[in-house]
């Protein structure tokens, strides 16, 4: 059985190990150098001082097998109604549904904080991530062609969007 819970400081080593694997072995993230644990701790303190941001971990048999979080979509105040979502599964985890379970809980948390839209960036090609996001109601709203270069190859990135709270947009439409 998988447990989804709020991350604690002691989880950061495992979160960092998962993330560093993808830095070193894939273009899923455009970071090119592994993060030292001090950078992960600083990231945690910066990103999660905002009470609307959540860091979750998936745990199986006392082992962290994935993590997900939401953070600022952009730093300008007008973007505060939007949030960016991210999910990573441990590379050695062969359990299906880990990303979906993390995202479902994360989306529940995001809804409670009255976000209007959620966004995710997906380096292409990545069928599994695109399938996950579309299965959770995200729409593909654009692709940035060859926006990142890693391992001597250019990569496209898809921007995916999910409506979280449609009440404010409905109110705006009826007032027009």
């Amino acid at each position: 059985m998988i447990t989804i819970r709020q991350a604690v400081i002691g989880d950061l080593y495992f979160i960092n190990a998962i993330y560093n694997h993808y830095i070193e072995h894939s273009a899923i993230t455009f970071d090119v150098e592994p993060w030292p644990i001090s950078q992960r701790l600083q990231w945690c303190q910066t990103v999660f001082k905002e009470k609307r941001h959540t860091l979750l971990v998936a745990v199986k048999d006392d082992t962290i097998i994935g993590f997900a979080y939401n953070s600022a979509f952009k730093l300008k105040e007008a973007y505060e109604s939007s949030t960016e979502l991210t999910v990573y599964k441990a590379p050695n985890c062969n359990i299906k549904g880990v990303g979906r379970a993390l995202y479902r809980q994360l989306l529940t948390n995001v809804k409670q904080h009255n976000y209007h839209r959620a966004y995710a960036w997906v380096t292409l090609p990545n069928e599994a991530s695109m399938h996950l996001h579309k299965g959770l109601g995200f729409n593909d709203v654009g692709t940035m062609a060859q926006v990142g270069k890693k391992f001597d190859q250019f990569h496209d990135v898809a921007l995916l969007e999910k409506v979280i709270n449609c009440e404010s947009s409905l109110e705006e439409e009826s007032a027009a």
Side-chain angles (χ1 to χ4, degrees):
M1 172 166 257
I2 298 171
T3 302
I4 306 296
R5 64 167 171 78
Q6 191 79 23
V8 296
I9 293 294
D11 298 331
L12 292 181
Y13 172 82
F14 302 101
I15 290 168
N16 208 45
I18 292 168
Y19 188 72
N20 281 343
H21 169 85
Y22 289 104
I23 291 173
E24 295 173 326
H25 301 287
S26 79
I28 289 172
T29 174
F30 284 166
D31 277 315
V32 294
E33 295 293 329
W35 285 30
I37 194 65
S38 59
Q39 185 176 356
R40 178 64 56 196
L41 181 58
Q42 182 181 10
W43 167 83
C44 187
Q45 292 170 339
T46 301
V47 171
F48 300 101
K49 70 180 177 186
E50 167 63 55
K51 300 295 183 216
R52 296 172 72 202
H53 297 164
T54 302
L55 174 59
L56 301 173
V57 291
V59 181
K60 168 102 169 117
D61 300 329
D62 297 322
T63 301
I64 293 175
I65 57 173
F67 69 97
Y69 63 93
N70 78 296
S71 58
F73 175 68
K74 295 272 193 177
L75 295 178
K76 295 179 180 170
E77 188 176 344
Y79 289 113
E80 286 181 0
S81 62
S82 298
T83 187
E84 182 177 338
L85 306 182
T86 304
V87 64
Y88 285 92
K89 182 176 164 181
N92 60 347
C93 177
N94 58 7
I95 300 168
K96 292 190 183 278
V98 174
R100 184 173 310 279
L102 280 162
Y103 251 23
R104 282 188 174 143
Q105 182 60 53
L106 185 59
L107 286 165
T108 297
N109 293 4
V110 164
K111 286 176 186 175
Q112 293 171 356
H113 290 292
N114 297 316
Y115 282 104
H116 184 60
R117 296 284 192 272
Y119 293 92
W121 302 98
V122 177
T123 303
L124 300 174
N126 189 333
E127 280 187 49
S129 187
M130 293 298 286
H131 180 75
L132 168 68
H133 287 88
K134 288 185 177 191
L136 291 168
F138 282 80
N139 293 308
D140 189 343
V141 294
T143 300
M144 295 180 290
Q146 299 185 352
V147 69
K149 187 175 182 184
K150 190 168 179 183
F151 304 129
D152 295 321
Q153 182 177 357
F154 284 101
H155 298 275
D156 297 350
V157 174
L159 176 59
L160 305 171
E161 176 186 62
K162 180 173 177 63
V163 174
I164 301 298
N165 178 357
C166 61
E167 289 178 21
S168 59
S169 62
L170 291 175
E171 290 169 6
E172 291 168 7
E173 288 175 15
S174 63

